[in-house]
Amino acid sequence: MRKPYALLLLLLPVLACSHLPTSTTTHTYYPGRGNAWKTRAPEQVGLNATRLAEAIDFAKSQETTQIAPDFSNQAEIFGTPLGPLPPGRAATNGLILRHGYIVAEWGNTERPDPTYSVAKSMLSTVLGITLDKGMIKDIHDPVAQYVTDGGYASAHNQPITWEQHARQTSEWEGELWGKNVDFIGHEAFGKGERKPRTLQAPGTYWEYNDVRINRFSLSLLTLWQKPLPQVVKEQIMDPIGASDTWQYLPYFNSMAMINGRPLPSVSGGTRWGAGLWISARDEARFGYLLLRQGQWGTRQIVSRDWVRQATTRGPIGPDYGYLWWLNTEQKAWPHAPATSFAALGAGSNTIWIDPEHDIVIVWRWHNGNPDELIKRVLAAVEK
């Protein structure tokens, strides 16, 4: 009896395990370079195919009326251009990712078009990398401690911090590349012209202001001492496997002398031409990088802590982080989770990121409220 009893004791753990559910190891999917991007049927990633198709049909019907297909109304809307514009753009297009896989795609998603203020969120990520590398010791440091080109020499500008630039609360005073920070004048600013107002102390007033963001970009260029498009390529776009079709173009007149060398400074948008020209597919990669908290495969491109800070609402102004739009209090997207965030540009150009449902939506050249597409996509989520 001893041998069978001993054998039974040996088998008990095995028999017990045979009734447990089989464990599976899940791996986060990252697409390969370029077009090496896997697709999944909606049902494979927990989406209702019929409802998702209805969402895409809606998206296709919302062609923008803001930006003319040939950019002929650019000066009317924004004022005198300072940089190039392409001869035309794609029609409305986009794609949806679930768990990193492409589950829907419509229109020409490979054409590199101006993406307007989505470029601000790219500059935010450059700032995060700059901090990660220790090139800036603390985001609350005054920029004047690092940049001595005269742009922060006045008593008003001297206390401006890197954080205030990233929050759009810097109240930087001055003129850059032929545009004054006050946005006064129809010829210079088109329909975007503003009425005179009194400047406030840095950090106390929120204003969406491309001149100040361009100053921020110039300050980052001063630190890196090489063109920011090169920084974006080396630190972000190449590591995430982006195509070679995107461009980040300067204005015709935005050359800065850095250590005796003329280097081009890029803008935070395409309000006055130039800016970041990029495909929807490459934008989806950028959005997916942020969804994965700055990680791509085994590499941490920008720290998780930075992504958390960049998507945390500031003390004043709208739902806004470090050049990212948020959904925390004022609910720009009522049907979306409070944890979702987006890069937004005129046109409308949208990269919407939803950590709760593991979804990225890129929707370009649309005339609709992003929430109308978001609610339709989220209605398709079944698990």
Side-chain angles (χ1 to χ4, degrees):
M1 292 294 292
R2 288 183 179 178
K3 287 185 178 180
Y5 183 72
L7 181 61
L8 179 61
L9 290 176
L10 289 172
L11 287 174
L12 277 175
V14 177
L15 293 171
C17 289
S18 67
H19 295 287
L20 295 175
T22 303
S23 63
T24 56
T25 303
T26 57
H27 298 283
T28 301
Y29 168 71
Y30 291 92
R33 302 192 67 83
N35 287 327
W37 204 329
K38 294 180 181 179
T39 61
R40 288 290 184 268
E43 300 90 341
Q44 292 178 287
V45 289
L47 299 175
N48 182 288
T50 300
R51 288 180 178 175
L52 187 62
E54 290 171 352
I56 304 314
D57 286 342
F58 167 78
K60 291 177 179 177
S61 71
Q62 299 297 306
E63 173 72 27
T64 184
T65 57
Q66 182 192 23
I67 306 294
D70 61 356
F71 297 95
S72 56
N73 61 346
Q74 181 84 8
E76 175 189 353
I77 299 172
F78 299 114
T80 306
L82 299 174
L85 287 161
R89 59 166 176 82
T92 188
N93 64 88
L95 63 163
I96 298 173
L97 310 182
R98 185 92 200 274
H99 307 323
Y101 300 99
I102 296 175
V103 294
E105 191 168 13
W106 65 98
N108 186 350
T109 60
E110 296 187 22
R111 177 169 176 161
D113 277 342
T115 194
Y116 290 81
S117 288
V118 168
K120 291 178 175 62
S121 299
M122 186 69 76
L123 288 176
S124 170
T125 308
V126 171
L127 174 61
I129 293 170
T130 309
L131 282 154
D132 288 345
K133 290 182 176 296
M135 298 167 66
I136 299 172
K137 293 180 181 178
D138 191 307
I139 196 170
H140 302 97
D141 285 346
V143 182
Q145 290 183 10
Y146 303 80
V147 178
T148 57
D149 59 9
Y152 300 90
S154 71
H156 178 84
N157 289 341
Q158 196 168 29
I160 292 171
T161 68
W162 295 100
E163 184 191 40
Q164 289 162 359
H165 266 315
R167 291 228 183 266
Q168 300 240 44
T169 61
S170 74
E171 285 286 88
W172 184 83
E173 181 180 29
E175 180 179 301
L176 190 64
W177 317 133
K179 302 285 184 179
N180 194 288
V181 77
D182 60 15
F183 269 64
I184 294 174
H186 184 76
E187 182 178 351
F189 299 102
K191 292 181 178 179
E193 66 176 327
R194 298 169 186 170
K195 295 180 180 179
R197 69 170 178 85
T198 303
L199 278 175
Q200 305 299 308
T204 66
Y205 188 87
W206 188 93
E207 182 179 74
Y208 199 82
N209 191 301
D210 277 42
V211 176
R212 293 189 177 117
I213 295 301
N214 290 348
R215 175 63 255 194
F216 166 62
S217 176
L218 174 58
S219 298
L220 285 173
L221 169 65
T222 302
L223 279 188
W224 282 89
Q225 298 187 24
K226 60 181 176 181
L228 292 190
Q230 184 180 344
V231 175
V232 170
K233 175 178 171 59
E234 294 172 353
Q235 301 294 327
I236 302 172
M237 300 303 278
D238 283 355
I240 66 175
S243 75
D244 60 0
T245 64
W246 65 275
Q247 303 177 75
Y248 202 163
L249 302 172
Y251 299 139
F252 298 129
N253 63 340
S254 60
M255 297 297 290
M257 293 300 294
I258 309 295
N259 282 346
R261 294 187 301 146
L263 296 179
S265 186
V266 291
S267 70
T270 309
R271 181 183 292 264
W272 301 303
L276 181 62
W277 301 4
I278 187 173
S279 71
R281 278 192 161 227
D282 282 343
E283 286 194 324
R285 286 177 180 271
F286 179 55
Y288 190 53
L289 172 69
L290 272 292
L291 180 69
R292 291 288 167 253
Q293 297 181 299
Q295 184 172 344
W296 197 272
T298 59
R299 179 173 175 179
Q300 196 72 38
I301 306 296
V302 64
S303 66
R304 290 171 179 264
D305 187 56
W306 171 257
V307 176
R308 179 187 59 78
Q309 292 178 53
T311 55
T312 298
R313 190 181 188 275
I316 61 172
D319 282 352
Y320 204 68
Y322 292 158
L323 303 177
W324 286 94
W325 290 97
L326 312 179
N327 202 42
T328 50
E329 294 183 16
Q330 297 161 7
K331 296 291 184 184
W333 320 299
H335 293 88
T339 53
S340 62
F341 57 100
L344 302 177
S348 299
N349 283 275
T350 305
I351 306 174
W352 181 75
I353 300 158
D354 179 4
E356 184 173 321
H357 297 98
D358 209 35
I359 288 173
V360 173
I361 299 176
V362 175
W363 190 20
R364 307 192 67 184
W365 306 121
H366 64 88
N367 208 39
N369 180 340
D371 188 61
E372 289 298 317
L373 177 59
I374 290 168
K375 75 176 181 180
R376 287 167 169 80
V377 172
L378 294 185
V381 176
E382 295 183 327
K383 61 181 180 179

